[in-house]
Amino acid sequence: MNATTPGQALPPKKDRREVARETARIQREEQKKREARNRWFLRGGIGLALVAVAAIVAVLIVGSVKPPSPGPLNMASDGILMQGDGTTIGAVPTEATAADAEPVPTDVSELTSTVNIAVYLDYLCPYCGQFETTNGDQLSSWLTAGNITLETHPISILDQSSSGSKYSTRSANAAACVANYQPDTFLDVNSALFANQPTEGTTGLTNAELVSLVEEAGVTDESVATCITDQEFGDWVGDASARALDNPLPNTDIGPLTGTPTVLVQGVKYEGDLGDAAAFETFVMEQATATTDTSGTETGE
């Protein structure tokens, strides 16, 4: 005997096959509707996922494109100009370069009573260290006496040689911090950075060690330590380095920077032995004489 649901009549035997077919058809239609809904949700999910991925990529791209950074005080030329008054050495003050502004080259036409020396250097560059070791005291002596002006341009071209620590950028940033907050100590800090110069291929000094170094060199402004730790002018260092590498050097007939140190005397590049103080002194005297002759001033002839 067949069981039936109470209240529901069992179809006649001849109609059961039709009922089964109709039931199967209805089930197939429902299955098709479910599959269509699933495909719609799937496409919608993929679309939403693609939108999300696109949004993430856009954020990453925007985040990776950094806007230009403002420069430090007293480095409007992308370098700091030092001069002496016969007894002391001090920095020539300048306003900070705005983030969207070009640097302002030093007006050498106003520096007619001194020999103007400019040095482009990287604090990891061993040849820069050699030049400083050989000529640093001599430059300080000339500066103090008021015989020269010295414009120092710290740049970073050797970050790849510091085992991922970007020492070139960090040390140049430290120099920029000093220029911004306590500029008259810049030359002492410059000398200290070379006296403690790390070897290429090492990580170099940590930020904490750079802070200690500048403090031992005479920096007392606490803002310098924060500036070094936060790498306040790190982006500016990159911008200034790119400008030196991409554009002719100001106040010269020379093209873009090709290496460090690049030492310019009256706009003329020194090509002599970096480790020969006498050769460099001779070159400085020659350029001073050449400038005097060109100006039409009496030279004793």
Side-chain angles (χ1 to χ4, degrees), residues 213-272:
L213 180 148
V214 301
E215 290 175 347
E216 291 172 3
V219 172
T220 56
D221 192 318
E222 295 180 356
S223 298
V224 175
T226 302
C227 179
I228 291 174
T229 300
D230 293 345
Q231 296 191 52
E232 181 176 342
F233 297 112
D235 289 342
W236 171 84
V237 169
D239 295 339
S241 300
R243 285 191 284 267
L245 293 168
D246 294 340
N247 301 288
L249 300 182
N251 298 317
T252 75
D253 294 325
I254 301 172
L257 189 74
T258 57
T260 55
T262 292
V263 183
L264 307 169
V265 180
Q266 300 290 81
V268 180
K269 185 176 180 180
Y270 175 59
E271 302 281 8

Side-chain angles (χ1 to χ4, degrees), residues 157-182:
I157 59 175
L158 292 174
D159 273 342
Q160 75 281 2
S161 299
S162 56
S163 299
S165 79
K166 295 186 176 181
Y167 181 75
S168 290
T169 292
R170 292 189 297 107
S171 55
N173 171 74
C177 291
V178 173
N180 187 83
Y181 292 106
Q182 200 168 338

Side-chain angles (χ1 to χ4, degrees), residues 70-112:
L73 291 168
N74 311 308
M75 298 188 83
S77 66
D78 282 349
I80 182 170
L81 183 68
M82 309 295 290
Q83 63 182 6
D85 60 6
T87 56
T88 59
I89 297 172
V92 177
T94 64
E95 295 294 326
T97 304
D100 57 351
E102 291 294 318
V104 180
T106 297
D107 186 357
V108 296
S109 67
E110 297 183 356
L111 305 175
T112 56

Side-chain angles (χ1 to χ4, degrees), residues 12-28:
K13 186 174 183 179
K14 63 184 181 66
D15 294 332
R16 291 176 188 173
R17 181 174 298 175
E18 292 299 325
V19 171
R21 288 176 179 174
E22 180 63 15
T23 301
R25 185 188 67 78
I26 293 173
Q27 290 176 343
R28 286 195 299 271

Side-chain angles (χ1 to χ4, degrees), residues 61-70 99-100 235-236 239:
I61 291 174
V62 171
S64 66
V65 178
K66 296 181 179 179
S69 302
D100 57 351
D235 289 342
W236 171 84
D239 295 339

